């Protein structure tokens, strides 16, 4: 009966695949109207310097408040937007929105740096022949400083894609920094990494979660951090949820941390409050 249970599960899985494909079409249609109807907004998750404890940047994360279905996760709708091509306009809107909302934040504390912003760039966007021009045009229009912008791309967007790599190189020549998102979960070889135009490795949440469980877990995170040091890259760890993870990553030499331990993704107003609180003299960060 093990076999029967297996095939039963398989049948259910198939049905849900078909349901999801039908639902994808509905979502793709709804997404076309989401932007003009004001259903999209951006939230900001702080990134904290692991040595000083100070916030130094934020990742912009897209949210969709659907009129009848309520909040839909980007894990669900980004792949749909990617396939329909809607991500091209939406992605540039996220960039513009982030730069505009960043510009009105309270001034950094004396001697402090302005906030840097990290924006996700989907593989589909990176394949657009006009992407470099489009991003520079947004920066120009809103007066954004390219040196304060990081673009996050996944490894899968880069494997053997010479056009995409050329685009990243061009963006980098304008002072924009490139991060590899979810590093370690994709397919790129380490050899390949030395040839990529990148500045930052984002250690995937799954490796951070392993820090608590096994010595092998910290060996993996440690290896990524040492690799990035050799390649003169900086490291951002994502999904830090415990003090223990933060302490261990600091010990391993990780530069920056992002996760629920510090803050969940915040509205612009809550992000401004977070920065104000962090700038108080008694705020130690940890
Ligand atoms: P990502 O770029 O890897 O973003 C990090 C995700 O981890 C976010 O999920 C964030 O809320 C979540 N996270 C951060 N800290 C913690 C933690 O301590 N614990 C846990 N459990 N989760 C944490 P979110 O906002 O649901 O976004 C999911 C993915 O959707 C993103 O993964 C990114 O791939 C995609 N995405 C979101 N916004 C955009 C966008 O504007 N453009 C594109 N192309 N993709 C986006
Ligand atoms: Mg990201
Ligand atoms: Mg990530
Ligand atoms: Mg991730």
């Amino acid at each position: 009966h093990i076999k029967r249970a297996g095939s039963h599960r398989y049948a259910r899985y198939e049905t849900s695949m078909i349901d999801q494909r039908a639902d994808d079409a509905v979502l793709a249609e709804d997404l076309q109207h989401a932007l003009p109807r004001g259903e999209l907004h951006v939230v900001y998750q702080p990134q904290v310097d692991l040595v000083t404890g100070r916030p130094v940047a934020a990742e912009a994360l897209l949210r969709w408040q659907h009129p009848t279905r309520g909040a839909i996760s980007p894990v669900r709708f980004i792949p749909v937007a990617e396939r329909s091509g809607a991500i091209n306009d939406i992605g540039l809107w996220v960039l513009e929105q982030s730069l505009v909302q960043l510009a009105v934040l309270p001034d950094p504390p004396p001697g402090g740096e302005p906030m840097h912003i990290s924006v996700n760039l989907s593989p589909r966007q990176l394949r657009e022949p006009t992407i470099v021009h489009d991003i520079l045009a947004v920066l120009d229009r809103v007066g954004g400083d390219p040196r304060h912008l990081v673009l996050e791309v996944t490894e899968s967007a880069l494997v053997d894609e010479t056009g995409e790599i050329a685009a990243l190189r061009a963006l980098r020549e304008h002072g924009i920094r490139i991060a590899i998102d979810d590093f370690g979960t994709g397919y790129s070889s380490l050899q390949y990494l030395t040839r990529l135009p990148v500045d930052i490795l984002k250690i995937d949440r799954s490796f951070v979660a392993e820090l608590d469980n096994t010595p092998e877990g910290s060996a993996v995170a440690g290896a990524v951090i040492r690799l990035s040091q050799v390649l003169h890259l900086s490291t951002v760890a994502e999904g830090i949820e415990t003090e223990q993870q933060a302490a261990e990553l600091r010990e391993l030499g990780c530069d920056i941390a992002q996760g629920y331990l510090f803050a969940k993704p915040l509205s612009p107003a809550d992000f401004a409050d977070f920065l104000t609180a962090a700038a108080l003299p008694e705020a130690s960060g940890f």
Side-chain angles (χ1 to χ4, degrees), residues 45 59 62-63 74 120 122 181-182 205 238-239 241 259-260 265:
Q45 188 175 33
E59 178 174 6
L62 184 59
R63 295 291 178 262
N120 292 285
S122 85
D181 206 351
D182 309 325
R205 194 165 85 211
E238 45 177 33
E241 294 185 353
Y260 295 171

Side-chain angles (χ1 to χ4, degrees), residues 187-207:
Y187 304 101
S188 66
S189 73
L190 296 179
Q191 170 63 29
Y192 194 72
L193 185 62
T194 64
R195 300 202 305 270
L196 286 178
V198 296
D199 304 278
I200 298 161
L201 294 186
K202 288 195 84 173
I203 303 174
D204 191 62
R205 194 165 85 211
S206 58
F207 300 122

Side-chain angles (χ1 to χ4, degrees), residues 126 153-162 164-166 168-169 172 178-181 183 187-201 231-233:
L126 202 53
V153 299
T154 53
E155 290 162 82
S156 55
L158 298 175
V159 177
D160 277 338
E161 304 288 355
T162 41
E164 281 82 337
I165 293 168
L168 292 183
R169 198 159 278 130
R172 224 163 150 246
I178 308 298
I180 303 216
D181 206 351
F183 183 75
Y187 304 101
S188 66
S189 73
L190 296 179
Q191 170 63 29
Y192 194 72
L193 185 62
T194 64
R195 300 202 305 270
L196 286 178
V198 296
D199 304 278
I200 298 161
L201 294 186
L231 298 176
H232 305 290
L233 308 175

Side-chain angles (χ1 to χ4, degrees), residues 203 211 216-229 249 252:
I203 303 174
L211 286 175
E216 291 84 356
S218 52
V220 172
V224 173
I225 292 162
R226 277 197 306 281
L227 174 70
S228 62
Q229 287 166 343
L249 286 161
L252 290 169

